[in-house]
Amino acid sequence: MNNWIIMPAVLPAFTAAFLLLTLRHRPQAQRIVSIVATALGLLVAIGLAVAASDGVPQAYRLGDWPAPFGIVLVLDRLSATLLVLTGLLALCVVLYASAGWDRRGQHFHTLLQFQLLGINGAFLTGDVFNLFVFFEVMLIASYGLMLHGGGPARLKAGFHYVAINLIASALFLIGVGLIYAVTGTLNMADLALKVPEVVPADQGLLKAGALLLFLVFATKAALVPLHWWLPATYAATSAPAAAIFMIMTKVGAYAILRVYGLVFGAEAGALALVAAPFVLPAAVVTLLLGTVGVVGSRSLRSLSAFAIVASMGTLLIALGLFDQAGVSAALYYIVHSSLAGAALFLLAGLVLEGRGATGDRLLPGPAMRGEVLVGGLFLLCAVAMVGLPPLSGFLGKVMILEAVRSSASWPWLWALILGSSLALTLGFVRAGSVLFWASGPASSETRRPLAILPLTAIVLLLALTGAWTGAAGPAMVWMDATARQSLDRASYVEAVLGPTNQRSAGLGE
Amino acid sequence: MEMLVASAIGLMTATGLFLILQGRSFPVIVGLTFLSYAVNAFLFAMGRLTVDRPPIITAGAAYTDPLPQALVLTAIVISFGMTALIVVLGLRGFLETGSDRTDLSLADAAEEHGPAPAGEDARRERDGAARA
């Protein structure tokens, strides 16, 4: 058993406790510890990705309890890829926040580490109830991060955010309850085996449970009509918090892939692909509404938030195919949209700070310090988000267009994706020209020099999207293998529950 | 017993949902509490309803499923903590904005046009306090 599998959860947990207990009043030391721990977490994630690259999923039995009874963590290519992505994103966010954002409230680094614990745990766990627990850890930390810095607008939006997530958690528990009541297990591998054998009388209950769970994941992934929380929350919170939340919508997409690609996947008998009829139509409307939101936004943060909604729509159109090409394109796009979205939110934070009273509203205001540099970075962020070459959004969209060819309605999907790209371009052009071209003379409040760390973080994120384009060949090979593995029920079940012949022998005893 | 438990859960869920849809933070919080009670009772029932049975397997004896009890415990801890958090959040929101309405219009107005004048709610609260 590879003990390193638990490290992505243990490391942030201990770091957070350490920060809270010993470094409460030493902000400089907090920053150093937080940066070092996040970098170590990234190294562990890369190590795990290397370990997962042989293509065999590995299970880690907590407390060494045998699989369907104890909780397992499962490391495969999919979870390893997302762990590395989380590590990269977290490192950039910690760097950005260390320039001063973390002092606007208390315990920023502690909350961020707890958030990483929840996210990493959710990516690793092989048990549905444990997934709920890690979701809650992630959400509790995100409530703190979302409110970091305070202010009336943030408190109001925070109340909504917490209330919506509490309702989603209640639905999650009801869904889990129904699934347990019918199958008697919550271990994902065991569920994958038991779901096809459920008697017809109970299939209705199980389907209700599965679809309730889908509602929860769709809320996290901001699928229409459950996306309303996202623009309000992301536009009201601070830039580093919004940037790390970028990975939280991806946790929703991951959970949809894991549960509806594997447990209720193609081999699940009467309940095969139970969520698939809903994902694609909802994703289409999500893309449409996100695009309309981008064109109609009145502030840069709200525009960025709607751009995220649109990117989730694009991503879930590909994921909703639940075939290898679709999942593979969606995974490539997940990496791209997390990096580009985070860069855009971090940049929106700089704009908000740099324009004095005008803030990030899309109105002509005083010129900000380093306008050319910030404007140039905005151009790159916009290019990445819209999906123009040379950054990875272009390749991501090409792959998604290629993947949807297998769908019967592909001409419509092509028209939608390409049309929305055009509208997104218009929205970003409008924002950029108002923010950086229509600016008046600099006023005294906009003369503050730009700090070096935030710029480093943004440049790093954009460089990563550039590198993701450069490495598209190997990345595509990796993602193809990842997609194949994530839809392969047999190898996952074997990793968790042992080979088939031993299982039947165990039952006979 | 099934009928009683099921209708109790249904009633609590309905009450919770009705209260959550109200426009002020206090009913929303109470509604969330109702919903979490309903969920806890539901989780208990998912291990089948049995009375006076130990949650331990002994040969030949009937038992009740111990797993839902562990799940309910986790769910109770989480929902209790979350209720405390949202109470504080509602309170802070009321103190900072002078209103316990849950819509975002006041906050939006403050962001778009500078600080908004104290809302009707705050005035009403103050009048109420003065009268008392």
Side-chain angles (χ1 to χ4, degrees), chain A residues 343-428:
Chain A
L344 185 59
F345 269 109
L346 294 183
L347 191 83
L350 283 190
V351 172
L352 178 68
E353 292 289 293
R355 298 210 321 150
T358 324
D360 67 336
R361 271 171 285 166
L362 299 179
L363 297 170
M368 56 183 295
R369 182 85 175 225
E371 198 176 33
V372 176
L373 179 61
V374 177
L377 288 175
F378 176 80
L379 175 68
L380 287 177
C381 285
V383 162
M385 282 311 290
V386 170
L388 296 172
L391 295 179
S392 50
F394 174 68
L395 285 178
K397 280 201 174 160
V398 169
M399 286 174 196
I400 288 176
L401 290 178
E402 191 59 39
V404 298
R405 287 277 297 270
S406 65
S407 161
S409 51
W410 72 268
W412 295 105
L413 293 175
W414 274 49
L416 178 71
I417 293 175
L418 294 174
S420 78
S421 299
L422 177 66
L424 286 175
T425 315
L426 286 179
F428 275 97

Side-chain angles (χ1 to χ4, degrees), chain B residues 32-95:
Chain B
L32 285 169
T33 319
F34 263 105
L35 197 59
S36 75
Y37 288 162
V39 167
N40 292 342
F42 180 81
L43 280 183
F44 248 123
M46 84 193 185
R48 306 295 184 268
L49 292 169
T50 43
V51 178
D52 277 349
R53 296 278 174 272
I56 302 162
I57 300 180
T58 38
Y63 63 93
T64 176
D65 191 344
L67 193 78
Q69 308 187 8
L71 301 189
V72 167
L73 203 59
T74 316
I76 289 175
V77 171
I78 291 177
S79 64
F80 179 71
M82 287 299 94
T83 308
L85 177 89
I86 201 167
V87 167
V88 173
L89 205 56
L91 204 58
R92 274 284 297 278
F94 173 66
L95 292 177

Side-chain angles (χ1 to χ4, degrees), chain A residues 147 156 160 177 180-181 361, chain B residues 46 48 65 89 101-102 112:
Chain A
L147 295 167
K156 283 279 174 191
H160 282 213
Y180 180 79
R361 271 171 285 166
Chain B
M46 84 193 185
R48 306 295 184 268
D65 191 344
L89 205 56
R101 294 179 64 86
T102 53
E112 297 278 332

